[in-house]
Amino acid sequence: MIPLANRKILSRFMLFGLVVTLYDMILHSLLVVIHIAFEWFELGLEEIIEHIFHTSRQQSQIIVFYLLWLMALCVLYYLWRTLPGLYNRFKTQLLAASSEYKAYIKDYWSEQSSSQKIKWLTSFTVSVSCLAFLAFS
């Protein structure tokens, strides 16, 4: 019998494996569902406009087309107004996290002995040399 904690880990690992191997099918299915929902919304809007305003099919399609353009422009305007604030907030959070990480790395490096620093530099030099050899050969 598998303990509960191991079952959770195993199920998450299997789910991750499925997502990694089937991401294209999952993405395609998601896009198909979004497309069907959009078409359903558009057809419903056409039927409502036809019923309320007693228009023909072509007239209601033209009205829906311009309504969808208006909605898209409203969304773009909202994004245009909110994205600079989101960008500035993200930038300040990123700068704070990077300065905190730099301080952590600096403290970690100062705590290391000379032999550990030599090991780090040697490992870094060898790994960069191997990457350069693989990239340029």
Side-chain angles (χ1 to χ4, degrees), residues 112-127:
Q112 300 299 315
S113 66
S114 296
S115 63
Q116 288 175 328
K117 289 180 182 179
I118 291 171
K119 287 179 187 177
W120 272 104
L121 288 174
T122 305
S123 300
F124 178 75
T125 305
V126 168
S127 61

Side-chain angles (χ1 to χ4, degrees), residues 16-66:
F16 178 73
L18 278 174
V19 168
V20 166
T21 56
L22 301 174
Y23 73 93
D24 59 337
M25 187 182 73
I26 293 170
L27 182 64
H28 180 263
S29 300
L30 180 67
L31 291 176
V32 165
V33 167
I34 290 171
H35 177 76
I36 290 172
F38 175 76
E39 289 291 331
W40 179 77
F41 171 74
E42 186 181 12
L43 183 64
L45 198 57
E46 280 180 26
E47 293 294 327
I48 289 171
I49 289 172
E50 264 185 68
H51 181 70
I52 291 176
F53 297 111
H54 305 292
T55 59
S56 68
R57 177 62 99 191
Q58 183 182 9
Q59 290 171 336
S60 63
Q61 285 176 347
I62 291 171
I63 293 170
V64 166
F65 173 77
Y66 285 116

